[in-house]
Structures are given as C-alpha cells and as structure tokens.
Amino acid sequence: EVQLVESGGGLVQPGGSLRLSCAASGFTFSSYWMSWVRQAPGKGLEWVANIKQDGSEKYYVDSVKGRFTISRDNAKNSLYLQMNSLRAEDTAVYYCARPAGYVHYWGQGTLVTVSS
Amino acid sequence: EIVMTQSPATLSVSPGERATLSCRASQSVSSNLAWYQQKPGQAPRLLIYGASTRATGIPARFSGSGSGTEFTLTISSLQSEDFAVYYCQQYNNWLFTFGPGTKVDIK
C-alpha cells in the first residue's frame, strides 16, 4: 500500500524558514517523480514543485521560485521542501504527492502557518 | 504558465439530478487533464485522468470528456456523497496547474 506521510509543519514568523519532510513507503520511491501541492485555508489547490526521480530536474510555481527548494533522498525514501523567506500567503496545508502527471496518491497534509 | 478556469464556481443540484462541470485551459493541453473531488478536511481524490479515463474504484456515474482546451466532468445522477468541491488539473508538462474549483452543493 502506497503511503505518504508529511511532517515538519508548524507556526513560523514572516521571514522565517521551515523544512517539510515526506516519508514514502509501499512503492519504489526512486522510480517516481514527486510533488508538493498546497492549499491555503478555504482556498483551492496550488501545485508548488516537482522533482524528477534522480533530482536532476526541478520545477516550481513562480510564487515560490528562489525561496523554496524541493529535494529528495532516495536512500531514505524521503522528499523534502525547504521553505525560506516565508510570507503570510504561504500559510497552507502542504501535501506530498506522487504524480504520474495526474496525482493518484496524496499524503494527509501538514499545516504551515506564517504569522507573527 | 497554463491558466485553468472552471465554471460555474458553485452548482446547486438536487440528489438524483445530473451535474455538468466545465474546465478550460488557456492553451491546448491535449488530453492531459485530470479531475479531483475534495471533501472538507480530506486530501483530493482522483476521479478522472487522460480527460476521460476513470480512476480505479470510481463509479460509472462520473464521466469526463474533451480535449485541447475545453473539458467537461459529468455526474449522471448525484448521490449524497458527491456533494463536494471538484478541481481540474492540467499536466501537459511538469509545470502543473489546477483550476479554482467548482463547489457542488445541495439544492
């Protein structure tokens, strides 16, 4: 059974940093692209970033370019999102996802709140 | 960036009625279009991919159609568990975008 479990969310001040993690199990992690998708409270879904199987290709939504970094450790079956220079508008539930273009598998999400 | 739009924003439907949701892309995405259902407090659930292929376990009352820039999700006879928010998503490249969603509520 595919499982994606996020961690690392919490309350952070504007301008601060946070690192999210996603532990993957039930599939061969190194064979799949991985994604982060977020959802602000009461709002719609927003794709954040994608990373290729070997980490050689990374893509970001414009609003996080230069501030967020997606990475992975295939030996640990883990996906990460390093978030720097956080803003109030980054407040959201962050989902780890396994895309095949479309996303069949989602984590349960971790809440990031950016507030003073 | 490919911009996705959905209409209507809210659709009020009686149980047993048909619901038709629309999604439009700002440029062609071929058939690289998925539909999701989301209920409060839950992660999205994949319904349709490839514009018209139902995901595993999705009831036949859900159907998708379209290609290029115009897409439709049809729920043939709404059940109580179908009242939710529905999102479309394009995956024509690795820069994904989601539509803003259509909320289907009880009339």
Side-chain angles (χ1 to χ4, degrees):
Chain A
E1 178 193 4
V2 172
Q3 286 200 323
L4 301 169
V5 179
E6 303 93 338
S7 60
L11 175 63
V12 60
Q13 292 189 336
S17 298
L18 210 56
R19 188 196 197 205
L20 304 184
S21 299
C22 171
S25 61
F27 64 101
T28 304
F29 181 73
S30 59
S31 297
Y32 292 88
W33 283 76
M34 294 296 295
S35 301
W36 288 99
V37 177
R38 68 183 178 182
Q39 187 168 34
K43 303 297 184 182
L45 300 168
E46 181 181 43
W47 166 75
V48 174
N50 283 338
I51 185 168
K52 194 177 179 179
Q53 289 92 329
D54 61 359
S56 62
E57 293 182 38
K58 302 176 184 181
Y59 300 94
Y60 300 92
V61 66
D62 285 348
S63 59
V64 308
K65 280 181 186 175
R67 300 189 300 123
F68 289 13
T69 301
I70 188 171
S71 63
R72 64 192 297 161
D73 185 336
N74 288 341
K76 294 183 178 180
N77 291 339
S78 294
L79 176 72
Y80 305 102
L81 186 67
Q82 178 66 44
M83 303 186 293
N84 299 330
S85 303
L86 282 160
R87 307 166 179 167
E89 54 264 36
D90 296 318
T91 293
V93 172
Y94 285 74
Y95 293 101
C96 169
R98 194 190 90 176
Y102 55 90
V103 178
H104 198 127
Y105 298 102
W106 301 77
Q108 84 289 348
T110 187
L111 176 62
V112 172
T113 303
V114 184
S115 174
S116 54
Chain B
E1 176 191 343
I2 300 174
V3 177
M4 307 300 291
T5 56
Q6 290 185 243
S7 61
T10 303
L11 185 62
S12 296
V13 185
S14 299
E17 289 188 340
R18 181 186 190 93
T20 302
L21 290 66
S22 296
C23 173
R24 176 176 292 179
S26 60
Q27 63 189 77
S28 177
V29 298
S30 186
S31 294
N32 297 312
L33 191 285
W35 290 94
Y36 302 87
Q37 177 193 70
Q38 189 179 34
K39 297 180 180 179
Q42 296 183 13
R45 174 194 183 197
L46 177 68
L47 298 175
I48 301 284
Y49 62 93
S52 61
T53 303
R54 275 190 303 277
T56 303
I58 301 303
R61 64 180 180 272
F62 291 92
S63 63
S65 63
S67 66
T69 62
E70 301 281 343
F71 301 90
T72 300
L73 174 70
T74 302
I75 312 171
S76 60
S77 177
L78 269 154
Q79 306 298 303
S80 57
E81 61 267 30
D82 300 335
F83 292 98
V85 181
Y86 292 83
Y87 297 95
C88 61
Q89 176 230 340
Q90 68 80 20
Y91 52 96
N92 198 50
N93 51 37
W94 286 102
L95 297 165
F96 301 162
T97 43
F98 288 90
T102 292
K103 182 178 181 180
V104 177
D105 65 15
I106 300 174
K107 187 173 182 181

